[in-house]
């Protein structure tokens, strides 16, 4: 049996997120670039994939969605460096970037409050039972999460941390 795995050559699982992935808003001064993500061992019956990046430690009461990409074709095994730029031309045809908690249809980099303990960033690829999720293009992160989880047949994940000095 093959194990479904997700990794990034840019971000070590269990390690720290490099500073250039930091957001460029709210006082953060990073380059707001999305990392390369690679996966293998997905179930053969996956009809599509979704990728999410979530910070459960954000001081919101509901965490923070940094990136949601849905409708990735079943043949997809990687997202290129900075594929999360708004209007990305490097995402596979048909893929959609959904609204993140910054309000953008793009990658939103890390930006924890200064002096907070390092936040956890959970990178997940979901193998889905449908070729396309039946959600509007402007769906909230909560609707996206609900529909992704309702149609997930397998998932692979890793977590990394990031903090900013006080």
């Amino acid at each position: 049996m093959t194990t479904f795995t997700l990794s990034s050559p840019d971000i070590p699982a269990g390690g720290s997120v490099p500073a250039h992935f930091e957001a460029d808003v709210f006082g953060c001064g990073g380059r707001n670039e999305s990392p390369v993500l690679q996966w293998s061992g997905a179930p053969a019956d996956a009809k599509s994939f979704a990728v999410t990046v979530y910070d459960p430690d954000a001081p919101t009461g509901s965490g923070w969605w940094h990136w949601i990409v849905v409708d990735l074709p079943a043949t997809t095994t990687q997202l290129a460096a900075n594929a999360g730029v708004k209007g990305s031309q490097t995402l596979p045809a048909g893929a959609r970037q959904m609204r993140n908690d910054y309000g953008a249809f793009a990658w939103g980099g890390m930006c924890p409050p200064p002096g907070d303990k390092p936040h956890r960033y959970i990178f997940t690829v979901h193998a889905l039972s449908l070729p396309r999720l039946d959600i509007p293009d402007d769906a909230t992160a909560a609707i996206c999460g609900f529909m992704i989880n309702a149609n997930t047949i397998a998932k692979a994940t890793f977590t990394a941390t990031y903090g900013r000095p006080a």
Side-chain angles (χ1 to χ4, degrees), residues 15-16 55 57 112-113 115-121 160-164:
S16 295
D55 171 5
D57 302 316
D116 229 5
K117 69 177 174 68
H119 287 203
R120 294 169 292 158
Y121 296 90
T161 60
Y162 188 74
R164 297 189 317 151

Side-chain angles (χ1 to χ4, degrees), residues 6 25 39 43 62 68 70 85 101 105-106 108 114 119 134 145 151-152:
L6 173 66
V25 295
W39 56 92
S62 60
I68 304 169
V70 299
V85 67
D101 281 340
F105 294 88
H119 287 203
D134 184 19
N151 294 286
T152 294

